[in-house]
Amino acid sequence: MTQGETRLLLTKIPYFREIILMSFACDQCGFKNTEVQSAGQIQERGAKYILKVTDEEDIQRQIVKSDTGVFRLEDLDIEMPAGHSQLTNVEGVLLEILKDLESGQRKRKQEEPELWEKIDAIVQQLLKMTLNQKFPFTITLDDSSGNSWIEPSPKDKDLKYQRTEYPRTATQNAELGLGEAPASAPTNDNGHTSQPVTLSNGSETAHVVPQIPSDIQDSTNLEGVDILAGHNYSFPTPCPGCTKPAHLNLQLVNIPYFKEVVVSAVMCLHCNYRSSDVKTGGEVPRLGKRIYLDVREPADLRRDILKSETCCVKIDEVGVEVVPGTMGGRFTTVEGLLTQIRDDLHSTVFESEEDEAGNGGDSMPEMKRRGWNQFFEVINKAIKGEMAFRILLEDPLANSYVQSLEEEPEGKDERLREEDYTR
């Protein structure tokens, strides 16, 4: 048996994390293979990326596709399933799909001309995409392990680039080797489990509120549960990070002049996982709502703000656009929201310790490094109150809110404006 040679290289991907590049080659038969693996652990949440490719620069964006990542070319309804991991760019993925489709076309033309014709039409469109002759088109990359990635850019605006995180299901955790697949739990006549909810003092309240559905694993699934005002609720739930037993704490909070919201927090003592979320209730309104806030002084930064999970946040002066689903629901202040946006982006762009000075790694191009540094300088000025800017909250379900500085609800706040719109 002839021995080949495997080479390993640990490297840091700018905006992402460390990965291991693996290369195998056999001098006898000429076989070669390359793969990429994450050098870290499975992430606490899955991640999905959406990129609208509009120019030649987008074609060159880097892509890390782990062996659990699923790539899709939405415009042509083409999917590259999980399996082979790779470090490439958008052009490289398109060429690989093109190569796979072209293989066997000669034989198909002779034996199955109708199938050949359909595949050839797709091949021609792919060729135009790789030659920068067909824009725009949309690609997605979905990975339940959270270890796949599409390169961002500080120029991304108007929903061009979207990254959303989501909690894994028990089945997805089992596929990743994190625990076992869910087993069916005993249910009552309403289809709910027989495990009672407990108050913070430990007393059971099964006679007060409905039983908790068995498929609730974190704070994103509270459908069918009545939460009563004045009580703190806590019940066991599998940790989204390690699948070991954790606790989900709930509390109903009344926001003056707005509505009641449910604040939830997941805490795991095994892996130190922490997360919080805010859910709004009530019926779906007929119209969506836009909220404009002009920030002019430090008092505006201290306003309470509720950003629901369906809300899009835009700050043109800072160059920030947060798409729905990116941060989940948040009840904080204007300053707190900006700080979280900054910290999330900074940890993504300059993740490793050697990048804390803002260098972005040796492989980050100087122009991109300069662009990110300028972006963080601007957002830091906004957080410190050193510049004026306008925040736009656009929520199709009208579940977002900004505190008015007027004491009476009918008072006029000159810096705060709301408008309804048709979805």
Side-chain angles (χ1 to χ4, degrees), residues 9 17 21 24 30 88 90 118 129 142 187-189 217 288 298 312 329 342 385 389 391 403 409:
L9 174 64
R17 57 179 66 95
L21 295 177
F24 175 82
T88 179
V90 176
K118 293 179 180 179
M129 291 177 180
D142 192 347
T187 59
N188 56 22
D189 295 337
Q217 298 179 44
C312 176
R342 179 200 63 188
F389 58 92
I391 296 180
Q403 176 190 11

Side-chain angles (χ1 to χ4, degrees), residues 162-207:
Q162 302 177 53
R163 176 183 180 273
T164 57
E165 295 183 349
Y166 57 87
R168 286 186 291 270
T169 64
T171 300
Q172 289 173 325
N173 276 326
E175 292 173 348
L176 295 173
L178 301 175
E180 300 179 353
S184 58
T187 59
N188 56 22
D189 295 337
N190 296 324
H192 296 158
T193 64
S194 57
Q195 183 174 9
V197 184
T198 59
L199 295 178
S200 56
N201 61 10
S203 61
E204 294 187 0
T205 60
H207 61 286

Side-chain angles (χ1 to χ4, degrees), residues 52-68:
K52 187 175 183 180
V53 181
T54 58
D55 53 40
E56 297 181 15
E57 288 187 9
D58 293 336
I59 287 284
Q60 301 304 320
R61 294 204 193 201
Q62 282 190 315
I63 290 180
V64 176
K65 179 183 175 296
S66 78
D67 55 4
T68 55

Side-chain angles (χ1 to χ4, degrees), residues 326-345:
T326 302
M327 296 174 59
R330 290 290 182 271
F331 184 38
T332 178
T333 62
V334 174
E335 180 183 2
L337 182 64
L338 286 173
T339 300
Q340 183 169 7
I341 293 172
R342 179 200 63 188
D343 292 347
D344 288 350
L345 281 172

Side-chain angles (χ1 to χ4, degrees), residues 392-407:
L392 166 61
L393 303 182
E394 184 171 320
D395 193 336
L397 298 183
N399 282 332
S400 295
Y401 157 87
V402 176
Q403 176 190 11
S404 172
L405 296 183
E406 295 294 327
E407 295 184 359

Side-chain angles (χ1 to χ4, degrees), residues 98-229:
L98 182 61
K99 181 181 178 181
D100 291 342
L101 290 176
E102 286 184 327
S103 62
Q105 274 293 79
R106 291 185 179 180
K107 186 176 181 180
R108 292 192 196 99
K109 189 173 184 179
Q110 299 295 328
E111 299 178 356
E112 301 177 85
E114 293 183 0
L115 179 59
W116 171 87
E117 186 175 353
K118 293 179 180 179
I119 295 179
D120 186 66
I122 297 176
V123 167
Q124 296 305 316
Q125 294 188 64
L126 277 170
L127 280 172
K128 291 181 180 179
M129 291 177 180
T130 57
L131 295 174
N132 303 324
Q133 297 176 359
K134 182 177 174 59
F135 294 119
F137 59 89
T138 302
I139 61 174
T140 63
L141 184 57
D142 192 347
D143 189 350
S144 60
S145 75
N147 284 328
S148 293
W149 169 83
I150 296 178
E151 179 185 357
S153 169
K155 301 177 183 178
D156 292 334
K157 294 182 180 179
D158 300 325
L159 303 182
K160 176 183 176 70
Y161 179 94
Q162 302 177 53
R163 176 183 180 273
T164 57
E165 295 183 349
Y166 57 87
R168 286 186 291 270
T169 64
T171 300
Q172 289 173 325
N173 276 326
E175 292 173 348
L176 295 173
L178 301 175
E180 300 179 353
S184 58
T187 59
N188 56 22
D189 295 337
N190 296 324
H192 296 158
T193 64
S194 57
Q195 183 174 9
V197 184
T198 59
L199 295 178
S200 56
N201 61 10
S203 61
E204 294 187 0
T205 60
H207 61 286
V208 177
V209 296
Q211 305 302 315
I212 302 301
S214 60
D215 58 352
I216 292 184
Q217 298 179 44
D218 57 78
S219 58
T220 63
N221 186 6
L222 302 176
E223 186 174 354
V225 178
D226 290 336
I227 306 299
L228 304 180

